[in-house]
């Protein structure tokens, strides 16, 4: 099976990435909390010493009261400590700051929903205080308050209010929700992670009297964070809770043991209805937040890769056989018949890959969509978070001797950059949104004897993909095979070995994290051509081969494989400008089809122009193409028109004169994959259709015309996988067709044709249900 690809992914805006979770144990969380407390204490002590010695110039020009000084020092200590810890941890995990959580929240009314929760917590804490008074001490929770001397920090000055209402909520939410809870979620279930983070949040305050309110508040904020991913909403709720202590004055009502001493001696608790009111307020606040804040993106847990099997070590990439010919990474026809040496270890390696892939394919065939989509979501996030590593691996490939002999078009396909990596992650997320083809009902009938026969879509099994300087294929093929329930074996060219290895590592990590077999996607860890020969003969383990690359590679695979192959030899795409064409539209379509990305297989390589409009259209389109650096190889009629048009001495026409050249016979069937186009003049739509059916590769061909009858004939009679009327051939692409990424573009006629998406990667089987029928 061999296919050529258009763009790796169309230039669509990438959805916001889904951050992956770090993986914290309880020990890690405790260590982080203690480090934060210790650093904050040290910073506060250092600030106090500097102030006392007059070394902090910001304080020496004025004489504030001690409470203002202490609160100000505490503000700087908290902010500095938090910023340092967060910066170190994010840098260590190679994460951006946005992974801590979003700053915004969907409804501006959401923070107001914390008011009934704060009121309810006040009632709960009062009742806990009553309980302590009843069984422990007349002072209640005040007897357990070990940090009463800190009260002057928050009530003695405006700096104290800033510390309590602004600084503390930001710092503590970043630490306990953005770092500790997020890390615990990587290892614990949400309920356990929230409970643990709330307990640590309460413990951090080092005050037994504050444990009830801090634990309940930590649990509520943890639930909000897990549900919404909004760190901003948690900060707002925390700030409202802290501000309540400053804003609540005398209440307009009195309740026994809440704000009034009861008349009956020995009565310690609230009336039952008051506690019930607290429960109702608490439930109301949670319900209100639930209604105002839709659930955020799913959390991604990155599990460690599965342990290595005890198998023969993977062979390194050095080539055992003679190096390929100087025409690049493609295998020549001579190489197709050569007998290459094959070591027993290499044969064992390739066979082992196929055996493990076959076992994995049986698991994938019945894997639920949720697991497959989970793996894809993890992969998209891993790509987003691994730009530096992927670009470094790609730089090694670009600096290799193999890359040095590539054509400009092939080197362009090999090159990755930030934008292409963003598009690659976007294509993965596009596939997540696509329906799962596995199990789709294609047909159903009930026979006269009562047999119920259903035709159901099922995966092909194991698919081998053989490709050259196209690292995007590693991801495109892996994700489509995975979503369609197929295991895949990837064999890339040596010119992109490092990039492919890095991408395959991310794929294995994503599969393991989603609970799917890592063997579902495997990269052949050697570029030895002898490994390819073995791979192409494993027809009992591999069910389909897809070569993607140059024509010589595809012919080699087709001639040497005992496994079914779907072929695409080349993309010789035509644009025909009819006599009735809108010439401005035609010029725009030709320009886009040729120069938007000339290295793609759906780029136009041939231009046919009706004789009646050639004299007008050819000079205009030729100047536009020449301005983009395109060379025009023309038949005699087109050459005569363009030579006459370039005869004056204007700069534009001088540029045109250097861009035109006479065509040779091979140019009329060539896939240039470069800034070159062959141009011919034809006398009719019949001649255009005949020329395309004879000289094209049956890939993508277009007509530009306002004559509907001519267009309908063209669409019906041109024997190509995709045909266009008044549109660029560059749209032949799985992404543009709504398939997400594509496995390739087939020019075969059996099983699949055109851009191959998920349905084309499936076969079908018949499922028959009976009630005891036997054949007479």
């Amino acid at each position: 099976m061999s296919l050529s690809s258009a763009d790796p992914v169309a230039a669509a805006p990438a959805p916001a990435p889904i951050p992956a979770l770090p993986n914290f144990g309880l020990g890690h969380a405790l260590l982080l909390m203690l480090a934060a407390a210790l650093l904050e204490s040290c910073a506060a002590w250092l600030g106090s010493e500097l102030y006392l010695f007059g070394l902090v110039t910001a304080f020496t020009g004025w004489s504030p009261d001690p409470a203002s000084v202490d609160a100000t020092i505490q503000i700087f200590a908290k902010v500095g400590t938090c910023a340092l810890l967060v910066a170190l941890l994010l840098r260590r995990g190679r994460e951006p700051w946005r992974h801590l959580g979003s700053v915004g929240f969907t409804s501006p009314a959401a923070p107001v929903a914390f008011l009934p929760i704060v009121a309810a917590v006040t009632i709960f804490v009062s009742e806990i205080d009553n309980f302590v008074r009843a069984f422990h001490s007349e002072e209640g929770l005040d007897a357990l308050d070990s940090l009463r001397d800190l009260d002057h920090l928050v009530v003695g000055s405006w700096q104290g209010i800033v510390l309590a209402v602004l600084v503390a909520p930001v710092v503590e939410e970043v630490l306990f929700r953005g770092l500790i809870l997020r890390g615990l979620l990587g290892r614990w279930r949400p309920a356990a992670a929230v409970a643990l983070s709330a307990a640590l949040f309460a413990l951090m305050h080092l005050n037994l009297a504050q444990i009830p309110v801090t634990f309940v508040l930590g649990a509520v904020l943890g639930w909000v964070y897990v549900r919404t991913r909004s760190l901003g909403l948690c900060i707002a709720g925390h700030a409202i809770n802290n501000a309540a202590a400053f804003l609540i004055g005398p209440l307009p009502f009195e309740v026994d043991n809440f704000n009034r001493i009861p008349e009956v001696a020995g009565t310690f608790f609230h009336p039952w209805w008051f506690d019930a009111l607290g429960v109702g307020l608490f439930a109301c606040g949670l319900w209100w937040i639930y209604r105002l804040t839709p659930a955020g993106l799913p959390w991604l847990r990155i599990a460690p890769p599965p342990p290595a099997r005890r198998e023969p070590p993977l062979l390194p990439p050095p080539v055992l056989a003679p190096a390929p010919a100087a025409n690049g990474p493609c295998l020549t026809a001579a190489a197709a018949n050569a007998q290459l040496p094959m070591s027993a270890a290499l044969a064992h390696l390739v066979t082992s890959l196929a055996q493990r892939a076959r076992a994995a394919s049986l698991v994938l065939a019945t894997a639920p969509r949720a697991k497959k989509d989970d793996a894809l979501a993890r992969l998209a996030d891993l790509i987003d978070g691994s730009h530096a590593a992927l670009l470094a691996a790609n730089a090694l490939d670009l600096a290799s001797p193999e890359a040095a002999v590539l054509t400009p078009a092939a080197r362009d396909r090999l090159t990755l950059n930030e934008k292409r990596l963003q598009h690659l992650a976007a294509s993965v997320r596009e596939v997540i949104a696509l329906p799962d083809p596995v199990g789709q009902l294609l047909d159903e009938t009930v026979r006269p004897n009562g047999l119920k026969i259903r035709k159901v879509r099922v995966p092909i099994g194991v698919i081998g993909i053989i490709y050259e300087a196209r690292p995007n294929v590693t991801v495109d093929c892996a994700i489509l095979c995975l979503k369609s329930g197929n295991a895949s074996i990837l064999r890339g060219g040596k010119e992109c070995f490092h990039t492919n290895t890095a991408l395959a590592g991310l794929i294995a990590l994503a599969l393991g994290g989603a609970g799917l077999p890592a063997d579902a996607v495997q990269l052949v860890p050697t570029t030895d051509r002898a490994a390819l020969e073995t791979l192409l003969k494993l027809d009992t383990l591999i069910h389909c081969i897809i070569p993607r690359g140059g024509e010589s590679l595809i012919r080699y695979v087709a001639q040497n494989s005992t496994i079914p192959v779907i072929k695409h030899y080349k993309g010789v795409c035509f644009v025909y400008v009819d006599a009735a064409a809108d010439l401005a539209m035609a010029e725009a379509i030709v320009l886009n089809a040729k120069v938007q990305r000339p290295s793609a297989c759906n780029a136009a390589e041939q231009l046919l122009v009706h004789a009646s409009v050639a004299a007008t259209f050819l000079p205009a389109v030729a100047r536009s193409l020449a301005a983009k650096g395109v060379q025009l190889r023309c038949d005699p009629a087109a050459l005569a028109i363009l030579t006459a048009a370039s005869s004056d001495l204007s700069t534009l026409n001088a540029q045109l004169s250097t861009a035109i050249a006479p065509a040779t016979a091979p140019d009329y069937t060539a896939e240039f994959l470069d800034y070159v186009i062959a141009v011919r003049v034809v006398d009719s739509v019949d001649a255009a259709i005949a020329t395309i059916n004879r000289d094209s590769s049956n890939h993508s061909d277009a007509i530009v015309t306002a004559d509907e009858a001519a267009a309908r004939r063209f669409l019906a009679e041109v024997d190509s996988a995709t045909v266009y009327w008044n549109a660029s051939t560059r749209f032949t692409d799985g992404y543009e067709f709504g398939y997400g990424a594509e496995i390739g573009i087939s020019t075969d006629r059996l099983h699949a044709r055109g851009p191959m998406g998920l349905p084309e990667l499936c076969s079908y089987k018949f499922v028959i249900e009976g009630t005891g029928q036997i054949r007479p």
Side-chain angles (χ1 to χ4, degrees):
M1 197 179 202
S2 131
L3 311 168
S4 157
S5 169
D7 296 327
V9 182
I18 305 174
L21 290 167
N23 196 316
F24 277 12
L26 183 57
H28 293 89
L30 278 169
L31 185 62
L32 176 57
M33 186 189 74
L34 292 175
L38 180 61
L39 286 174
E40 184 180 326
S41 298
C42 291
W45 172 83
L46 180 61
S48 299
E49 292 299 311
L50 293 175
Y51 174 73
L52 290 174
F53 283 99
L55 298 178
V56 183
T57 56
F59 295 157
T60 56
W62 51 288
S63 300
D65 62 276
S68 298
V69 174
D70 289 345
T72 304
I73 290 173
Q74 198 67 32
I75 288 172
F76 283 104
K78 277 185 173 292
V79 172
T81 298
C82 178
L84 177 63
L85 275 176
V86 174
L88 288 175
L89 289 173
L90 291 182
R91 182 171 182 178
R92 184 168 180 262
R94 297 181 180 179
E95 293 186 282
W97 285 76
R98 68 176 183 273
H99 279 195
L100 296 176
S102 63
V103 177
F105 34 87
T106 54
S107 171
V112 181
F114 282 96
L115 291 175
I117 293 176
V118 171
V121 171
T122 304
I123 295 173
F124 298 159
V125 172
S126 174
E127 194 70 303
I128 293 172
D129 179 73
N130 293 333
F131 182 85
V132 175
R133 283 193 301 109
F135 297 99
H136 178 68
S137 167
E138 285 293 331
E139 295 184 39
L141 289 177
D142 288 340
L144 303 176
D145 190 351
S146 57
L147 297 173
R148 297 183 189 183
D149 56 333
L150 293 182
D151 290 345
H152 78 285
L153 283 180
V154 296
V155 298
S157 65
W158 66 265
Q159 290 95 335
I161 297 176
V162 170
L163 173 64
V165 178
L166 295 178
V167 175
V170 172
V171 169
E172 292 175 8
E173 289 312 301
V174 168
L175 177 64
F176 283 95
R177 256 53 71 181
L179 291 179
I180 290 178
L181 176 55
R182 196 167 64 92
L184 292 172
L185 285 169
R187 183 173 299 186
W188 300 75
R189 293 183 180 276
V194 168
L196 285 172
S197 68
L200 294 175
F201 180 60
L203 182 63
M204 178 73 169
H205 288 77
L206 301 175
N207 194 337
L208 291 176
Q210 292 186 5
I211 282 179
V213 65
T214 50
F215 180 82
V216 174
L217 178 64
V220 171
L221 295 175
W223 169 74
V224 169
Y225 183 69
V226 170
R227 172 174 171 75
T228 66
R229 305 184 70 92
S230 175
L231 194 62
L233 184 56
C234 293
I235 292 171
H238 194 150
I240 287 172
N241 177 81
N242 290 6
F246 299 94
L247 299 177
I248 295 176
L251 297 174
F253 59 87
E254 292 185 340
V255 177
D256 286 351
N257 293 312
F258 180 70
N259 59 350
R260 180 179 65 192
I261 299 174
E263 297 178 359
V264 180
T267 302
F268 292 97
F269 300 104
H270 302 155
W272 69 267
W273 60 265
F274 193 60
D275 288 335
L277 175 64
V279 173
L281 287 172
F282 192 80
C284 177
L286 293 181
W287 175 83
W288 197 1
I289 292 174
Y290 182 86
R291 291 295 303 271
L292 292 176
T293 56
L297 295 171
W299 294 94
L300 296 181
R301 294 173 177 82
I302 301 299
R309 296 175 175 80
R310 293 188 176 182
E311 293 171 351
L314 301 182
L315 296 182
V319 176
L320 302 179
N327 66 337
C330 302
L331 298 176
T332 61
N337 298 320
Q339 296 298 316
L340 302 176
M342 169 66 69
S343 69
L346 187 57
H348 173 81
L349 166 65
V350 176
T351 304
S352 174
L353 289 177
Q355 289 170 338
R356 301 201 310 259
R358 177 56 178 150
S361 74
L362 298 175
V363 176
L364 281 184
T366 56
R369 173 177 179 172
K371 274 196 172 186
K372 294 187 286 187
D373 287 349
D374 184 22
L376 295 175
R378 292 170 185 271
L379 176 59
D381 186 72
L382 286 168
I383 292 172
D384 279 331
S386 305
H387 283 197
L390 293 173
L391 293 176
N394 191 241
L396 290 176
D397 287 329
L398 291 170
S400 68
E402 291 81 12
V405 299
L406 294 176
T407 65
R411 189 175 180 86
D412 175 66
R413 290 193 294 268
L414 171 60
T415 303
L416 292 178
N417 53 40
E418 292 280 351
K419 186 176 181 180
R420 288 185 179 180
L421 287 174
Q422 290 169 5
H423 293 165
L424 199 58
S427 73
V428 178
R429 294 189 176 97
E430 284 284 327
V431 172
I432 295 174
L434 296 176
D436 189 341
V438 179
Q440 289 179 352
L441 183 64
L442 301 177
D443 191 18
E444 184 175 18
T445 184
V446 178
R447 300 297 299 152
N449 63 359
L451 279 180
K452 182 179 179 181
I453 302 176
R454 291 184 296 127
K455 187 178 181 181
V456 180
R457 205 185 298 277
V458 295
I460 290 173
V462 179
I463 299 177
I465 298 102
I466 301 158
Y467 52 104
E468 296 171 337
R470 301 169 186 233
N472 66 286
V473 175
T474 302
V475 172
D476 287 352
C477 292
I479 62 177
L480 287 174
C481 288
L482 173 61
K483 180 84 174 195
S484 57
N486 296 289
S488 55
I489 299 175
L490 311 174
R491 198 276 187 181
K494 55 185 172 295
E495 71 286 342
C496 54
F497 185 82
H498 296 93
T499 310
N500 291 340
T501 300
L503 288 169
L506 298 183
I507 295 168
L509 190 60
L511 288 166
L516 292 173
D519 292 333
V521 179
Q522 298 179 80
L523 180 73
V524 177
T526 175
T527 58
D528 196 314
R529 286 180 293 156
L532 178 58
E533 281 202 341
T534 297
L535 191 72
L536 296 177
K537 299 297 190 290
L538 298 176
D539 48 35
T540 60
L541 299 171
I542 302 174
H543 306 101
C544 184
I545 293 290
I546 304 175
R548 295 182 60 166
E551 184 177 358
S552 57
L553 169 67
I554 294 165
R555 290 194 182 279
Y556 171 81
V557 170
Q559 293 167 4
N560 289 272
S561 177
T562 60
I563 305 166
V565 178
I566 294 182
K567 300 173 294 299
H568 157 77
Y569 285 119
K570 53 187 177 181
V572 183
C573 304
F574 280 71
V575 176
Y576 165 57
V577 179
D578 189 45
D582 178 326
L583 297 186
M585 177 196 292
E587 182 176 339
I589 288 173
V590 171
L591 197 64
N592 177 267
K594 179 68 256 182
V595 305
Q596 198 266 341
R597 192 168 184 193
S599 63
C601 67
N602 56 19
E605 309 286 23
Q606 308 286 326
L607 173 61
L608 303 181
V609 181
H610 195 282
S612 64
V613 297
T616 303
F617 177 71
L618 277 177
V621 75
R623 290 187 186 98
S624 296
L625 290 168
K628 296 291 185 179
V630 178
Q631 183 187 57
L632 292 84
R633 298 184 183 176
C634 308
D635 72 350
L639 187 64
I641 293 171
L642 293 177
T643 301
S646 63
S647 59
D648 67 63
L649 298 179
S650 70
T651 302
L652 190 60
N653 287 334
Q655 186 181 32
L656 174 59
S657 66
T658 61
I660 59 176
T664 61
D667 290 332
Y668 296 140
T669 56
E671 182 186 31
F672 299 111
L673 298 176
D674 205 348
Y675 288 90
V676 181
I677 191 169
V679 183
R680 281 179 274 184
V681 176
V682 294
D683 295 327
S684 64
V685 67
D686 298 273
I689 292 171
T691 300
I692 293 171
N693 284 338
R694 182 187 67 229
D695 295 340
S696 83
S697 61
N698 308 120
H699 190 292
S700 302
D701 302 296
I703 182 174
V704 184
T705 185
D707 183 345
E708 182 174 355
R712 296 298 177 195
R713 281 196 58 207
F714 184 95
L715 298 177
E717 296 179 23
V718 169
D719 185 23
S720 296
T722 56
V723 286
Y724 292 85
W725 176 17
N726 290 344
S728 169
T729 58
R730 288 284 290 116
F731 287 101
T732 304
D733 176 82
Y735 191 92
E736 295 293 340
F737 280 21
Y739 298 164
E742 68 183 25
I743 202 85
I745 301 170
S746 170
T747 53
D748 270 1
R749 287 170 170 76
L750 294 178
H751 174 63
R753 201 175 190 202
M756 288 187 63
L758 297 174
E760 288 75 25
L761 287 173
C762 290
S763 181
Y764 56 82
K765 68 180 178 183
F766 291 94
V767 179
I768 299 95
E769 298 178 17
T771 55
Q773 291 89 340
I774 59 174
R775 185 167 180 173

